Amino acid sequence: MRDARMSPNSAEVTALRALAWVVTDQDRATRFLTATGCDSDTLRRRAGEAEILGAVLDFLLDDEASLLAFADEVNLPAQSVALARFALPGAMPR
């Protein structure tokens, strides 16, 4: 079996797409902000930082319904989110 990995650049793109998807729905955005303790101004200012990108992927990975909805909407395999998370700093080792 081939070892599936994602480049850090691809992981950042996936995470930015996920962040854009999360904030397009008020309920989801509120749940994300509550889960992270972040406010909307901080989120806008720090959107491209690894900590925020990792948090948005963790948010999706913690909620299967959201994960599957995101993957379906952007036409990505759901496992791409996990691969992206492992490619970014702060991921738990496999």
Side-chain angles (χ1 to χ4, degrees):
M1 182 175 167
R2 200 176 96 209
D3 184 22
R5 295 187 190 261
M6 183 179 283
S7 74
N9 286 341
S10 293
E12 287 179 13
V13 169
T14 299
L16 287 168
R17 291 176 77 189
L19 179 57
W21 182 81
V22 166
V23 301
T24 60
D25 178 86
Q26 185 64 42
D27 179 57
R28 255 193 327 257
T30 299
R31 286 187 293 120
F32 175 73
L33 293 173
T34 300
T36 61
C38 198
D39 62 39
S40 57
D41 289 334
T42 302
L43 180 60
R44 273 192 284 286
R45 193 172 58 253
R46 298 184 57 208
E49 293 180 14
E51 183 179 4
I52 297 297
L53 297 177
V56 75
L57 296 177
D58 288 338
F59 175 76
L60 291 179
L61 291 168
D62 286 342
D63 179 12
E64 185 177 9
S66 292
L67 170 65
L68 295 175
F70 165 70
D72 184 56
E73 188 163 319
V74 300
N75 199 29
L76 280 176
Q79 64 266 27
S80 293
V81 175
L83 292 173
R85 183 61 188 109
F86 287 124
L88 293 174
M92 296 297 292
R94 295 192 243 186

